[in-house]
């Protein structure tokens, strides 16, 4: 059984690529695909620089992504599927790749969107039709092999030998790469990657993703935010939060400011209180009310205090019990834990 | 019914377990031989049991847990909970966000 923790680490790896290992691994992937080894290796400091480098390649030949990634992957998937049967394959996927799939896909989607946005602002497309330019950049991105971000699929296979060995070794060594007949463009991994506990991109004090060349993504619990948005977070006031016109950004401001602090400073009153927790409501101009249950963790923190957390519940919630029960997909009358920690 | 952080364990009658699941093989255990009920994707902290038994997926959002001899549910940040033998439904806590619902992870 493949080692899921090792692949989790590969998917989240930061810091300089192992360029020597990547070089060897790329050659192995070409040989396994029955192709002649490429003669030119071009390194880029981010997927954005990688896309820019593609345009400067002289006579790279055709893209060999099909031969290098798609075909061996499909063959390996068929082999494992035949070996385990449909139910066994589903089980294998749930135990391995499925754990990494959502978080990795969120990251690669955001990286692609970030590259597209940056390219559209670059001098190269200054006079271009935005739709045409976007289609062109997206096309280039589709030719990429995702290196470390192929981890979810690779995690489902036993890859030390066989058709995927080269692909897997590249994944362990570096980030995205573009294979062509004669040349390869390889990208460095991020130098910084910060996520919240749910695996969503998240950082309050700078970019959530940063590459060595400065290409960066800013995010708050997975939501894309403008670059300068984070710099004003330390000086927030309840008035500033109420005045934010973009409802999504206002939610981010509120979350950062702290529901508890906002509740205290805006004079909000608890709507309902019972043994499961406290229900709060904050009216929001031109947006649905924020309704939250305040829950206390039963297990004390190392310092003996109890961690309190707020969970947002649907705006129609009327009691604390109904709110907590909703978070577990239960009706209020059905929620009755006899022990909680 | 037991709660450990963001996971709720709800006892269920054996008769309520779908017939095809009663004898079905469980999901594979992790590398440490544990049944993992929920996993913090970044921290790797897990609500997990090493007891004999099976973890079964009845549909994409619901998992069932069978503990023929009972077991001890542990997590890095929460006190352990001793579960009596029997069948359970495992529910992951969620949070409301306008337009979507997201899973809570602690």
């Amino acid at each position: 059984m493949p080692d899921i923790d090792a692949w989790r680490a590969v998917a989240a790896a930061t810091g300089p690529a192992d360029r020597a290992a990547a070089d060897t691994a790329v050659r192995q992937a070409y040989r396994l695909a029955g192709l002649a080894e490429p003669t030119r290796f071009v390194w880029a400091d981010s997927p954005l620089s990688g896309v820019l480098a593609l345009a400067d390649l002289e006579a790279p030949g055709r893209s060999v992504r099909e031969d290098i990634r798609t075909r061996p992957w499909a063959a390996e998937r068929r082999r494992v599927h035949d070996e385990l049967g449909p139910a066994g394959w589903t089980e294998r996927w749930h135990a391995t790749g499925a754990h990494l799939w959502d978080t990795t896909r969120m990251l690669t989607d955001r990286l692609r969107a970030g590259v597209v946005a940056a390219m559209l602002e670059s001098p190269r497309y200054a006079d271009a039709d935005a739709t045409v330019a976007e289609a062109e950049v997206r096309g280039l991105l589709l030719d990429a092999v995702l290196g470390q971000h192929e981890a979810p699929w690779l995690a489902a296979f036993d890859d030390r030998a066989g058709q995927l060995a080269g692909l897997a070794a590249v994944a362990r060594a570096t980030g995205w790469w573009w294979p062509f007949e004669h040349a390869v463009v390889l990208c460095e991994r991020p130098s910084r990657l910060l996520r919240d506990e749910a695996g969503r991109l998240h950082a309050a004090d700078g970019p959530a993703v940063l590459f060595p060349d400065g290409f960066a993504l800013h995010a708050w619990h997975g939501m894309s935010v403008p670059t300068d948005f984070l710099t004003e977070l330390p000086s927030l006031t309840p008035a500033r939060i109420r005045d934010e016109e973009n409802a999504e950004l206002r939610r981010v401001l509120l979350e950062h400011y702290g529901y508890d602090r906002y509740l205290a400073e805006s004079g909000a009153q608890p709507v309902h209180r019972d043994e499961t927790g406290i229900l709060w409501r904050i009216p929001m101009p031109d947006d649905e009310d924020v309704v939250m249950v305040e829950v206390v963790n039963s297990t004390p923190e190392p310092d003996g205090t109890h961690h309190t957390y707020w969970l947002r519940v649907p705006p129609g919630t009327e009691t604390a019990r109904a709110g907590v029960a909703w978070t577990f997909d239960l009706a209020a009358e059905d929620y009755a834990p006899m022990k909680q920690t | 019914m037991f709660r450990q952080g963001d996971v709720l364990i709800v006892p269920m009658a054996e008769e309520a377990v779908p017939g095809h699941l009663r004898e079905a093989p469980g999901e594979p255990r992790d590398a440490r031989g544990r049944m993992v009920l929920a996993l913090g994707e970044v921290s790797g902290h897990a609500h997990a049991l090493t007891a004999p038994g099976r973890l079964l997926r009845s549909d994409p959002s619901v998992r069932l847990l069978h503990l023929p001899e009972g077991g001890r549910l542990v997590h890095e940040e929460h006190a352990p909970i001793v579960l009596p033998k029997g069948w359970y439904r495992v529910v992951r806590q969620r949070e409301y966000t306008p337009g979507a619902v997201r899973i809570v992870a602690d």
Side-chain angles (χ1 to χ4, degrees):
Chain A
M1 176 65 66
D3 181 351
I4 182 69
D5 289 328
W7 283 110
R8 184 190 308 283
V10 166
T14 54
D18 183 340
R19 293 192 177 195
D23 186 296
T24 307
V26 165
R27 292 176 193 280
Q28 184 185 11
Y30 273 70
R31 285 196 308 273
L32 287 169
L35 300 171
E37 292 179 14
T39 50
R40 276 172 294 142
F41 287 71
V42 177
W43 279 91
D45 279 341
S46 73
L48 175 62
S49 296
V51 167
L52 290 165
L54 293 178
D56 300 329
L57 281 181
E58 278 175 38
R62 67 181 173 90
S63 166
V64 292
R65 185 178 183 278
E66 278 285 312
D67 313 64
I68 295 282
R69 182 194 182 277
T70 313
R71 215 171 296 140
W73 165 77
E76 190 62 13
R77 185 177 182 283
R78 199 158 45 241
R79 190 184 67 75
V80 177
H81 192 276
D82 289 348
E83 187 186 309
L84 302 177
W89 164 252
T90 304
E91 220 172 78
R92 165 76 71 92
W93 174 249
H94 279 303
T96 56
H99 290 289
L100 306 179
W101 178 252
D102 287 342
T103 47
T104 308
R105 197 187 44 185
M106 265 192 275
L107 177 56
T108 55
D109 285 351
R110 290 292 308 282
L111 285 171
R112 285 198 194 93
V115 170
V116 168
M119 287 294 286
L120 294 186
E121 283 172 17
S122 73
R124 181 168 312 203
Y125 291 110
D127 304 318
D129 176 271
T131 316
V132 175
E134 176 165 349
E136 188 177 311
V137 177
R138 290 215 174 261
L140 293 173
L141 290 168
L142 284 177
D143 278 341
V145 182
L146 301 185
Q148 64 179 149
H149 299 143
E150 303 283 356
W153 280 112
L154 291 167
F157 302 113
D158 186 15
D159 60 79
R160 292 285 169 174
Q163 287 295 302
L164 298 180
L167 208 58
V170 181
R172 293 189 184 95
T174 194
W176 295 12
W177 58 294
W178 280 267
F180 297 94
E181 262 179 300
H182 310 301
V184 181
V185 174
L186 296 119
C187 301
E188 285 286 345
R189 294 185 285 225
S191 48
R192 170 180 158 113
L193 172 67
L194 296 173
R195 290 185 278 197
D196 65 9
E197 270 295 311
R200 297 166 300 186
L201 292 179
H202 174 70
D205 62 346
V209 185
L210 178 66
F211 283 86
D213 60 356
F215 174 60
L217 301 175
H218 292 78
W220 183 268
H221 292 299
M223 188 188 142
S224 199
V225 295
T227 307
D228 53 3
F229 180 80
L230 297 170
T231 56
E232 69 161 321
L233 290 182
S235 55
L236 278 181
T237 63
R240 163 73 184 90
I241 296 169
R242 269 190 303 273
D243 293 345
E244 170 60 53
E245 286 177 7
N246 180 316
E248 278 198 310
L249 291 180
R250 187 164 58 217
R251 283 172 210 138
V252 175
L253 294 175
L254 191 55
E255 211 169 308
H256 177 79
Y257 190 72
Y259 292 121
D260 49 343
R261 221 174 126 200
Y262 187 90
L263 289 167
E265 292 182 22
S266 60
Q269 295 295 315
V271 178
H272 182 260
R273 188 190 292 266
D274 59 33
E275 66 283 5
T276 65
I278 304 171
L279 188 75
W280 296 88
R281 178 181 296 271
I282 307 175
M284 282 287 142
D286 308 318
D287 195 9
E288 62 187 45
D289 292 354
V290 173
V291 177
M292 284 173 300
V293 281
E294 178 183 340
V295 186
V296 178
N297 243 350
S298 305
T299 302
E301 300 295 301
D303 67 0
T305 61
H306 287 262
H307 177 61
T308 304
Y309 64 103
W310 278 261
L311 292 176
R312 194 163 173 184
V313 295
T317 308
E318 286 173 357
T319 66
R321 173 177 297 275
V324 175
W326 180 89
T327 67
F328 288 114
D329 199 14
L330 290 177
E333 60 274 22
D334 294 333
Y335 180 72
M338 54 183 283
K339 180 172 165 91
Q340 31 189 340
T341 67
Chain B
M1 179 180 305
F2 306 86
R3 180 171 78 96
Q4 187 178 59
D6 58 358
V7 171
L8 191 72
I9 318 287
V10 187
M12 62 191 292
E14 181 160 5
E15 303 77 63
V17 178
H20 70 281
L21 288 176
R22 275 183 217 166
E23 302 303 327
E27 291 180 16
R29 293 182 178 231
D30 75 356
R32 290 192 258 163
R34 306 179 303 174
M35 291 184 281
V36 175
L37 307 190
L39 185 69
E41 290 296 348
V42 177
S43 64
H45 288 175
H47 298 274
L49 297 116
T50 51
R54 289 171 296 150
L55 191 57
L56 302 143
R57 191 171 291 277
S58 71
D59 70 57
S61 63
V62 178
R63 291 204 295 174
L64 303 184
L65 173 66
H66 183 218
L67 295 173
E69 300 167 23
R72 189 164 176 270
L73 178 65
V74 299
H75 185 273
E76 287 79 351
E77 293 158 13
H78 296 276
I81 293 181
V82 175
L83 299 170
K85 69 178 180 185
W87 282 88
Y88 297 92
R89 198 157 58 85
V90 178
V91 188
R92 188 89 187 259
Q93 194 163 34
R94 60 183 178 166
E95 185 173 19
Y96 175 80
T97 55
V101 169
R102 71 189 187 201
I103 297 294
V104 175
D106 66 3

